[in-house]
């Protein structure tokens, strides 16, 4: 048995299934590049047959990423599998991940199929997929709640047909660590050809145990692949979190005895990129990537850490991408220093033109803010990446007036297809007035389903980062804007969301 643990990231597929987290092709490609930098072994890039948007995203990621295996999900039918294979054509290393539900509940109520029909479909689908690619993963959906005898028969059959990875999902997050670990162990012991496949765990977090269950699947069950997402993004309570799995296995190598490919210093940048793109804020006390994950507030802890850091720290903050030297650049910093800092932060820009444009924005910001933190830079480049492609609207300037006892007024100038338009409105508050002023010109008819403001670097001198989530005709998009003035940040976020609504990219989340 290999002593390497394969990290399979499904942020772009299962993570995206979380309501409001849908991403467009450019955003997915940026995140895929960050996952490649992180040295993730397998990137599940989407569900090619679910929509044209997903097909194109899988295709463009397959063409661009060289070091990770690129995977597409597909239901267990020939059409889905062919679509997945087509989208994956350009990949250096391609995997098809096919699934069908095997629990009595799902077979009877959802699929309306008999167990024998499911058995045959699973077998034939894996056979079909193996004729198209050499690397085929099979998942029995709701596997953990399936009858163990039936599951063993199905898994034996699909391995015979050539499945190279067997993934056992706890689809509804019902498992308990010891029980899930033993379940994987039993399957591996009872399936006669189990040694012909890599065993994988895929846990949801409904009872808050996705990471614990996955680790038990590895330790007790002998699984050698974990399926996970950045920040634990995913439907309902989310999926198993990549950063927690990685740091648990690295920090407790004495217990797990497993090696990982992962380059952990890119974890924080990946976490921020996913959070900024989806608008899903990371809670401050989130392990590894939360703002407080390495902060010591109590005097006793601070004293201990100053004397010997391992008194209270089991991991080094810098090993996952936190920097010790927080104040990094100012208005006198040059382009080279800026470019070098981007590299240190793991941010790779597509072209010199992108760097120039980000640098110009950095200079603009440095004129207004004396200390520029890593967080500011990451927000600035994230803004850059999400707006420049399908940009119909662009922020130009804003003025607003608010005074106690008076209704706030705002006037905004923005470009619409390159032409400047000016619009004014009043509102309940200055943000409301500004966004109403935009709507007075645009008439998008979109419904706002989320508005959130976050101080990027913790003080009132900080930039505010605003996320706006808009919904229109069944599409949900997120816009993010950052600025020291939160009203400007709100207007930028709103325009960014409108740009995405306008873009033709189909971003319907995938679901089997
Ligand atoms: O949770 C689940 O069952 C899934 C499968 C499609 C692998 O995401
Ligand atoms: Zn899942």
């Amino acid at each position: 048995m290999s002593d390497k643990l394969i990290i399979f990231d499904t942020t772009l597929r299962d993570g995206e299934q979380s309501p409001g987290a849908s991403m467009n092709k450019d955003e997915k490609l940026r995140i895929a590049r960050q996952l490649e930098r992180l040295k993730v072994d397998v990137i599940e890039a989407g569900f090619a047959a679910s929509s044209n948007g997903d097909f194109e995203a899988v295709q463009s990621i397959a063409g661009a990423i060289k070091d990770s295996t690129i995977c597409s999900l597909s239901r267990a039918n020939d059409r889905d599998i062919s679509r997945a294979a087509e989208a994956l054509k350009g990949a250096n290393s391609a995997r098809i991940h096919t699934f069908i539900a095997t629990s009595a509940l799902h077979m009877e109520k959802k699929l309306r199929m008999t167990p024998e029909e499911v058995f045959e479909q699973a077998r034939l689908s894996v056979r079909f997929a193996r004729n198209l690619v050499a690397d085929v993963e099979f998942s029995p959906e709701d596997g953990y709640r399936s009858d163990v005898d039936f599951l063993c028969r199905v898994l034996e059959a699909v391995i015979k047909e050539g499945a190279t990875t067997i993934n056992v999902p706890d689809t509804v997050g019902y498992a308990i660590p010891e029980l899930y670990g033993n379940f994987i162990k039993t399957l591996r012991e009872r399936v006669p050809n189990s040694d012909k496949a890599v065993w994988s765990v895929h846990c949801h977090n409904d009872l808050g145990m996705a990471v614990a269950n996955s680790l038990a699947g590895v330790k007790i069950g002998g699984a050698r692949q974990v399926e996970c997402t950045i920040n634990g993004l995913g439907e309902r309570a989310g999926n198993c979190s990549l950063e927690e799995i990685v740091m648990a296995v690295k920090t407790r190598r004495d217990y797990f005895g497993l090696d990982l490919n992962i380059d952990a210093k890119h974890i924080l940048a990946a976490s921020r990129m996913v959070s900024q793109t989806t608008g899903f804020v990371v809670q401050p006390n989130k392990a590894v990537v939360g703002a407080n994950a390495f902060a010591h507030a109590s005097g006793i802890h601070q004293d201990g850490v100053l004397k010997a850091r391992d008194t209270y720290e089991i991991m080094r903050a810098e090993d996952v991408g936190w920097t010790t030297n927080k104040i990094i650049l100012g208005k006198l910093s040059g382009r080279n220093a800026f470019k070098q800092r981007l590299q240190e932060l793991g941010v790779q820009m597509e072209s010199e033109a992108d760097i120039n444009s980000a640098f110009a924005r950095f200079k603009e910001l440095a004129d207004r803010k004396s200390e520029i933190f890593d967080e500011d830079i990451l927000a600035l480049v994230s803004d850059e990446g999400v707006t420049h492609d399908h940009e119909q609207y662009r922020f130009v300037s804003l003025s607003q007036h608010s005074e106690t006892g008076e209704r706030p007024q705002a006037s905004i100038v923005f470009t619409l297809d390159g032409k400047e338009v000016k619009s004014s409105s009043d509102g309940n508050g200055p943000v409301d007035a500004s966004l109403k002023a935009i709507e007075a010109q645009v008439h998008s008819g979109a419904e706002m389903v989320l508005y959130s403001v976050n101080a990027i670097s913790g003080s009132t001198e900080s930039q505010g980062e605003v996320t706006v989530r808009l919904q229109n005709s069944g599409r949900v998009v997120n816009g993010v804007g950052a600025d020291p003035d939160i009203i400007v940040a709100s207007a930028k976020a709103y325009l960014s969301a409108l740009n995405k609504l306008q873009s033709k990219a189909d971003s319907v989340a995938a679901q089997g």
Side-chain angles (χ1 to χ4, degrees), residues 166-203:
I166 295 296
N167 177 50
V168 185
D170 177 23
T171 304
V172 291
Y174 182 66
I176 303 291
E178 192 185 350
L179 301 182
Y180 183 72
N182 282 325
F183 189 67
I184 305 290
K185 183 167 183 269
T186 303
L187 293 176
R188 287 186 57 238
E189 283 168 359
R190 288 193 41 192
V191 171
N193 49 3
S194 65
D195 59 324
K196 303 276 184 304
V198 173
W199 288 73
S200 167
V201 288
H202 177 114
C203 298

Side-chain angles (χ1 to χ4, degrees), residues 442-485:
V442 171
H443 306 293
S444 74
E447 181 195 352
M448 188 182 296
V449 288
L450 176 118
Y451 170 82
S452 83
V453 191
N454 182 33
I456 287 181
S457 48
S459 77
T460 50
E461 283 197 346
S462 165
Q463 287 197 90
E465 182 175 72
V466 173
T467 302
V468 165
R469 186 171 300 154
L470 297 181
Q471 181 169 355
N472 203 4
S473 313
R475 290 191 66 202
V476 180
V477 295
N478 290 305
V480 180
D483 197 276
D485 178 336

Side-chain angles (χ1 to χ4, degrees), residues 61-62 83 381:
I61 291 168
R83 265 316 254 171
V381 295

Side-chain angles (χ1 to χ4, degrees), residues 24-25 126 132 167 218 250 265 346 351 383 397 503:
N24 65 31
K25 188 173 84 180
V126 169
L132 301 172
N167 177 50
V218 169
K250 275 185 182 279
K265 68 176 182 298
S351 65
D383 238 16
S397 64
S503 84

Side-chain angles (χ1 to χ4, degrees), residues 188-347:
R188 287 186 57 238
E189 283 168 359
R190 288 193 41 192
V191 171
N193 49 3
S194 65
D195 59 324
K196 303 276 184 304
V198 173
W199 288 73
S200 167
V201 288
H202 177 114
C203 298
H204 282 264
N205 203 32
D206 298 66
L207 293 173
M209 289 186 279
V211 171
N213 288 335
S214 302
L215 290 172
V218 169
K219 184 68 182 175
I220 305 172
R224 285 297 176 266
Q225 174 177 285
V226 175
E227 302 202 348
C228 46
T229 60
I230 302 287
N231 299 336
L233 187 70
E235 267 181 294
R236 308 184 307 275
N239 283 57
C240 170
S241 131
L242 179 144
E243 57 280 4
E244 293 178 21
I245 283 288
V246 164
M247 291 319 289
V249 172
K250 275 185 182 279
T251 307
R252 296 307 308 268
R253 199 181 181 290
D254 60 317
Y255 178 71
F256 291 104
L258 291 167
D259 294 322
L260 298 166
N261 266 351
I262 298 294
D263 184 354
K265 68 176 182 298
H266 296 292
I267 282 182
L268 189 66
S271 162
R272 290 202 169 131
M273 194 182 282
V274 169
S275 164
Q276 282 167 347
T277 307
T278 57
F280 280 57
V281 175
V282 174
Q283 76 197 54
N285 57 332
K286 168 86 172 65
V288 185
V289 293
N292 290 350
F294 294 90
H296 299 279
S298 101
I300 295 173
H301 287 205
Q302 283 173 352
D303 180 54
V305 169
L306 286 175
K307 286 178 177 146
R309 66 190 290 167
D310 54 358
T311 50
Y312 288 100
E313 277 187 9
I314 56 164
M315 301 172 263
R316 290 168 4 129
E318 53 270 40
D319 290 348
V320 295
W322 293 94
T323 46
T324 38
N325 176 15
K326 290 279 257 173
I327 300 167
I328 45 110
L329 295 172
K331 69 184 195 182
L332 297 177
S333 307
R335 186 178 177 284
N336 278 346
F338 177 71
K339 196 173 161 185
Q340 190 188 331
R341 196 64 207 137
L342 288 180
Q343 273 161 9
E344 285 162 7
L345 286 169
V347 176

Side-chain angles (χ1 to χ4, degrees), residues 8-17 35 40 42-46 97 202 227-230 233 239-240 242:
F8 175 114
D9 180 278
T10 182
T11 306
L12 302 176
R13 198 282 296 173
D14 221 353
E16 201 211 16
Q17 282 179 208
L35 295 174
V40 159
V42 186
I43 298 173
E44 188 162 53
H97 175 192
H202 177 114
E227 302 202 348
C228 46
T229 60
I230 302 287
L233 187 70
N239 283 57
C240 170
L242 179 144

